[in-house]
Amino acid sequence: MTTIFVCEDSLDGILTGVYEAWDSRLGHENVRLQTEAEGTLELFCQYRPVRRDLEKAEKVLRTVRRRMGEKAREAVCYAAACTDERKADAIYRLIVLGLSMADGTKAVDCLQNPAVLLVEKLRYKAWHEAERMLGFLRFEELENGVLYARMEPPYAVLPLIAPHFADRLYQENWIIHDLRRGQAAIHRAGGGWFLTEAEALSALEKESRSGTEQEFQKLWQAFCSSIAIEERRNPRCQQNLLPLRFRPYMTEFGADRSRTVLN
Amino acid sequence: MQHTRIPEQLPVMEKLKILSDAAKYDVACTSSGTSRGNNGKGIGNCFDAGICHSFAADGRCISLLKILFTNECICNCRYCLNRSSNDVPRATFTPDEICELVMGFYRRNYIEGLFLSSGILNSPDYTMELLYQTLRKLRTEYHFGGYIHVKAIPGADPALIEKTGFLADRMSVNLELPTAEGLRRLAPAKTREKILRPMRQVQNRMEENRNELALYRSAPRFVPAGQSTQMIIGATPESDFQILSVAESLYQRFDLKRVFYSAFVRVNDDSALPALPGGPPLLREHRLYQADWLLRFYGFEAGELLSEARPNLNVLFDPKCDWALRHLEEFPVEINRASYQTLLRVPGIGVKSAQRIVKARRLGSLDFPDLKRIGVVLKRALYFITCRGKTLYPVKIEEDYITRNLLYVKEKLPPQLQGDVTYQQLSLFDDGMPLSFGEQAGLLAAEGQELLTAGADAGGAGRFV
Ligand code: SF4
């Protein structure tokens, strides 16, 4: 009988599931991983809920990094951010494969293996989304000088992009708010960043912006419109490259609530 | 000079409008080529692949704050909006104004950094000094660690250019027009020698810097993202062959990172300029980028793609397809044996799929379904390849036959060309159907990385699928 390990839909949740499934010694062919609230219940299966355990998750990720290389670690992290219901099991299969090989770094290249191929596809999807967020995210300066950004990405890319901003805006206090998941990444000037539930942050959305904020927004809008070449005008192309769904929070498309006058 | 000097007190907003508008015809907007973490003191880092922060209404990527320091120019290049004989509003930034803009924009994640060009105010030295002062302030007083692309002004003191290069990530001197003759006609104040001199200087200094860095890893870095240039396409009568040959020699002899091609936009009503009733030659620009791609990544030479007898790129086919059709004697190639270089020359096989083929065939011989999985575009490649000695379908290796069939395979042009008139005429050949939105999106997804950089570079560099 197949045992299905049901884990929380997060990187740590899935990695804990990998740990538990492995540790159960039921045999890889007898276990499956699934994230919560996905799939219909199957008869003749045993369901085992998995409690997220940071230590176990950390152990698995370290092992992946050591035995299967940085590429595999990245693939696992990015794939876990996607919404595909097969992702947890595919990640498990990839790790099982990698750890069974003499050279685990080759596992991510075995694209003829359906699980590996799926992880690779998901990795690409999340990577593409994260990559775009690195550019399209917009910070606004609050009155106390804190930089505040909002987004609603389809995948859980916040932990994937936060390190980039932690390095880039090292001397700044900043908050990136994922409104869809109610999560935020918070960074203290000169320090590290951490992920937190964002209930307390809803007030920030309405908090007033700093004195120069509006001025910079206007300057940026002016720049964006004057830099376009009229003779090459091509809104369709613009929309292909910068889909509408990103625009609600982008300054140059009239994101700021205080600027309704300009719209 | 007849223009009135605008007082310094012009609001920054006005200056920004004037000086970004004046800078927009420079196509290079890439922020790629440098990877650098935060130094812990200030703001900013660099991301090797470059990041697009927005897209303008013309579909070009916005990555850098692209501005001129001044558009008060003593020269009168005939194609240029800022030429001294034009009656346009003039403005000049101060170094501090630029620094404030860069910092304010960068903190809000609007930009990757600064692209600073300039008209020539008073003299080349005077202007270069201002550019240097701006960069010095930005790096040392504002502790800006993001990307900076700066122009080297032809004719300026080499010492000034050198100092500036140590503060920038990329430097460029625009070739402007492909030939010396073109320059004589449209930019009499510029000569080929005057433009190539600073280019050579930057190249030599980069070379020296590499040696310094080999000795001392912490030596200051000179133009780490390399040097680029730009040519205007279609303002003068040069052929594609001439243009590509120039590009090739720039890559080989000047070690340039990139050559950009800018479809000429007729901003001045001047009898020396062509009329261009169809608008800027965007399809031609696109074909040149594709050919440029072949020079840099596919091992082609300009002389293979074009010749005196066939001086212009084929509008119907991308340059690689065109080359293959004229060299059918080299096909079909056997996927399981052909060298990497040979695979690269097959239409439908790009750099990524060629690499994957070479890797995958070590593990076992490949058949057509494998190629499909690898990402080979079979409907293009099928006329040129065999797997285990067999073609996919019974095909004739015959020019007319293949040409006819390939014309029915839609070429995936980048979205930049969707509205292009020439292309719409061409699309008669491919089912009469322009690319759908879905296909474009698929194309984007399939070549994300490459496209992002390509889009960043020039609003549409060449890609091959
Ligand atoms: S030097 Fe020529 S191209 Fe440059 S700004 Fe002056 S007139 Fe324009």
Side-chain angles (χ1 to χ4, degrees):
Chain A
M1 190 161 65
T2 308
T3 304
I4 297 183
F5 289 82
V6 183
C7 30
E8 184 195 272
D9 187 4
S10 70
L11 177 62
D12 291 327
I14 293 171
L15 291 174
T16 313
V18 171
Y19 186 97
E20 299 288 358
W22 197 296
D23 205 40
S24 70
R25 294 167 202 280
L26 291 167
H28 300 313
E29 63 285 1
N30 300 321
V31 298
R32 227 158 68 205
L33 255 65
Q34 192 174 299
T35 45
E36 278 164 2
E38 272 168 7
T40 43
L41 285 185
E42 282 176 50
L43 291 171
F44 312 115
C45 281
Q46 205 190 343
Y47 285 85
R48 252 196 236 179
V50 174
R51 270 248 313 271
R52 182 178 59 146
D53 182 322
L54 292 182
E55 214 170 291
K56 288 175 181 167
E58 189 50 42
K59 255 187 206 162
V60 173
L61 202 58
R62 263 207 314 269
T63 309
V64 169
R65 170 81 184 73
R66 200 180 61 240
R67 302 264 313 269
M68 298 168 62
E70 175 55 25
K71 237 177 111 186
R73 192 199 64 85
E74 202 182 280
V76 168
C77 293
Y78 278 71
C82 284
T83 47
D84 195 290
E85 56 183 42
R86 300 162 298 171
K87 68 182 177 184
D89 200 59
I91 289 171
Y92 181 62
R93 301 293 149 202
L94 168 70
I95 296 176
V96 168
L97 176 71
L99 299 188
S100 73
M101 292 167 84
D103 178 2
T105 58
K106 295 243 165 73
V108 281
D109 291 330
C110 297
L111 295 178
Q112 62 279 27
N113 178 318
V116 178
L117 186 66
L118 180 63
V119 171
E120 165 59 19
K121 282 190 175 150
L122 295 177
R123 180 203 66 80
Y124 180 79
K125 266 177 144 177
W127 171 83
H128 187 47
E129 182 69 20
E131 166 98 6
R132 293 201 280 186
M133 246 17 262
L134 294 186
F136 298 161
L137 195 75
R138 296 287 176 266
F139 287 99
E140 296 176 274
E141 191 183 54
L142 304 179
E143 239 163 8
N144 55 8
V146 171
L147 295 172
Y148 173 63
R150 293 169 294 171
M151 62 175 185
E152 281 184 276
Y155 313 130
V157 295
L158 182 53
L160 306 175
I161 64 171
H164 169 83
F165 291 104
D167 183 56
R168 171 160 297 192
L169 302 174
Y170 180 68
Q171 298 288 11
E172 304 279 349
N173 292 308
W174 55 250
I175 298 168
I176 303 174
H177 190 171
D178 179 344
L179 295 150
R180 181 179 291 215
R181 288 169 193 75
Q183 272 190 332
I186 299 183
H187 176 266
R188 233 177 263 289
W193 65 276
F194 60 93
L195 212 56
T196 174
E197 300 303 313
E199 278 119 48
L201 291 178
S202 57
L204 281 179
E205 271 214 78
K206 292 180 201 73
E207 194 176 309
S208 55
R209 308 307 194 231
S210 75
T212 51
E213 180 56 31
Q214 209 187 340
E215 193 185 320
F216 273 110
Q217 295 197 0
K218 281 189 182 157
L219 285 165
W220 175 239
Q221 287 170 334
F223 174 77
C224 287
S225 68
S226 72
I227 204 72
I229 297 178
E230 195 47 42
E231 290 83 346
R232 301 181 68 132
R233 199 181 159 73
N234 193 343
R236 216 173 127 190
C237 165
Q238 180 191 29
Q239 198 171 323
N240 276 328
L241 296 164
L242 176 37
L244 297 176
R245 68 181 171 90
F246 289 101
R247 301 187 188 182
Y249 300 108
M250 294 180 74
T251 318
E252 58 272 39
F253 297 101
D256 179 48
R257 79 217 123 67
S258 64
R259 254 185 329 88
T260 34
V261 270
L262 276 171
N263 289 332
Chain B
M1 262 182 295
Q2 65 221 146
H3 57 259
T4 40
R5 207 190 141 84
I6 304 268
E8 271 316 74
Q9 301 81 290
L10 199 68
V12 172
M13 176 63 108
E14 290 314 305
K15 292 190 185 182
L16 179 63
K17 280 185 187 161
I18 295 170
L19 293 168
S20 59
D21 188 69
K24 70 185 171 193
Y25 299 101
D26 215 305
V27 287
C29 187
T30 161
S31 54
S32 58
T34 316
S35 182
R36 170 169 73 230
N38 194 302
N39 64 6
K41 275 200 304 237
I43 190 170
N45 56 14
C46 287
F47 188 77
D48 191 37
I51 296 177
C52 290
H53 283 259
S54 195
F55 289 89
D58 53 15
R60 296 189 309 158
C61 155
I62 301 177
S63 175
L64 305 172
L65 171 63
K66 194 194 295 182
I67 46 174
L68 300 190
F69 189 91
T70 178
N71 68 341
E72 300 183 67
C73 189
I74 55 175
C75 293
N76 199 30
C77 308
R78 303 184 77 154
Y79 49 81
C80 176
L81 192 63
N82 307 311
R83 61 183 188 177
S84 58
S85 65
N86 273 7
D87 182 20
V88 295
R90 306 277 169 176
T92 298
F93 276 122
T94 66
D96 274 306
E97 284 169 341
I98 293 180
C99 293
E100 294 288 342
L101 276 175
V102 170
M103 298 302 284
F105 281 10
Y106 195 82
R107 285 182 71 220
R108 289 167 176 78
N109 204 40
Y110 298 165
I111 53 169
E112 279 304 285
L114 173 66
F115 178 113
L116 188 59
S117 179
S118 187
I120 298 169
L121 182 63
N122 296 340
S123 72
D125 276 347
Y126 186 84
T127 312
M128 198 68 221
E129 173 70 29
L130 285 169
L131 299 187
Y132 166 70
Q133 288 305 339
T134 309
L135 264 56
R136 190 193 55 76
K137 255 197 159 69
L138 199 49
R139 290 291 195 214
T140 61
E141 291 176 27
Y142 290 79
H143 300 290
F144 177 70
Y147 194 90
I148 300 180
H149 178 157
V150 69
K151 290 276 163 199
I153 306 286
D157 180 354
L160 268 173
I161 292 179
E162 167 156 350
K163 279 202 290 188
T164 312
F166 274 107
L167 300 168
D169 289 286
R170 172 166 287 183
M171 249 188 168
S172 61
V173 190
N174 281 356
L175 203 60
E176 310 290 11
L177 297 163
T179 57
E181 169 55 24
L183 282 175
R184 251 193 306 283
R185 284 176 53 174
L186 297 185
K190 298 177 180 173
T191 63
R192 186 43 84 76
E193 299 73 63
K194 222 166 141 184
I195 291 170
L196 292 182
R197 203 175 305 128
M199 219 183 249
R200 182 66 82 197
Q201 184 201 344
V202 172
Q203 180 197 13
N204 290 340
R205 194 64 191 85
M206 278 169 60
E207 183 66 46
E208 265 174 60
N209 189 234
R210 270 192 282 274
N211 297 334
E212 292 162 3
L213 286 166
L215 280 177
Y216 313 101
R217 279 195 53 207
S218 57
R221 306 194 62 186
F222 183 83
V223 194
Q227 174 168 214
S228 67
T229 193
Q230 159 174 330
M231 286 186 254
I232 302 168
I233 303 306
T236 40
E238 289 91 356
S239 67
D240 292 346
F241 182 46
Q242 281 173 298
I243 293 169
L244 271 192
S245 305
V246 170
E248 184 172 65
S249 74
L250 289 172
Y251 286 128
Q252 287 170 358
R253 299 189 23 238
F254 287 82
D255 193 24
L256 286 202
K257 255 298 203 311
R258 285 298 304 270
V259 175
F260 292 97
Y261 308 89
S262 169
F264 174 58
V265 180
R266 195 174 199 270
V267 289
N268 295 328
D269 195 13
D270 187 316
S271 59
L273 299 171
L276 298 180
L282 297 181
L283 182 60
R284 185 176 180 205
E285 179 193 276
H286 176 64
R287 290 285 181 245
L288 282 166
Y289 274 115
Q290 290 183 310
D292 182 271
W293 215 256
L294 293 182
L295 298 185
R296 289 186 299 140
F297 302 118
Y298 287 73
F300 278 90
E301 286 170 18
E304 288 180 277
L305 299 171
L306 296 169
S307 62
E308 296 289 354
R310 287 185 76 265
N312 289 310
L313 293 164
N314 190 336
V315 283
L316 291 177
F317 290 111
D318 72 68
K320 189 163 108 177
C321 210
D322 186 53
W323 175 86
L325 283 170
R326 285 181 290 112
H327 291 84
L328 288 177
E329 70 284 358
E330 314 214 358
F331 296 102
V333 301
E334 167 58 39
I335 288 293
N336 290 297
R337 275 196 314 270
S339 70
Y340 174 69
Q341 290 302 332
T342 310
L343 290 173
L344 279 181
R345 295 189 165 222
V346 177
I349 298 182
V351 171
K352 241 182 255 163
S353 23
Q355 285 170 350
R356 287 194 191 133
I357 290 172
V358 172
K359 240 191 214 171
R361 71 187 179 187
R362 280 189 214 128
L363 304 170
S365 92
L366 303 176
D367 206 343
F368 288 100
D370 302 313
L371 295 185
K372 195 163 185 174
R373 250 203 320 270
I374 277 171
V376 172
V377 184
L378 280 181
K379 54 186 179 184
R380 290 162 79 77
L382 72 95
Y383 306 98
F384 305 98
I385 55 174
T386 58
C387 282
R388 302 172 190 157
K390 291 201 186 64
T391 53
L392 180 56
Y393 308 122
V395 296
K396 287 183 272 183
I397 306 289
E398 178 196 294
E399 188 172 345
D400 279 357
Y401 168 82
I402 300 178
T403 306
R404 215 163 345 103
N405 279 290
L406 281 179
L407 279 172
Y408 281 94
V409 178
K410 278 176 232 165
E411 184 190 356
K412 304 217 165 178
L413 286 172
Q416 281 83 0
L417 281 173
Q418 283 203 347
D420 190 75
V421 191
T422 332
Y423 175 62
Q424 272 163 12
Q425 287 161 0
L426 293 182
S427 65
L428 281 178
F429 292 97
D430 48 272
D431 312 342
M433 287 282 288
L435 291 187
S436 73
F437 252 67
E439 283 169 308
Q440 290 293 352
L443 173 65
L444 270 180
E447 297 241 342
Q449 172 72 53
E450 214 167 28
L451 188 102
L452 280 174
T453 7
D457 284 349
R463 279 167 298 106
F464 291 90
V465 284

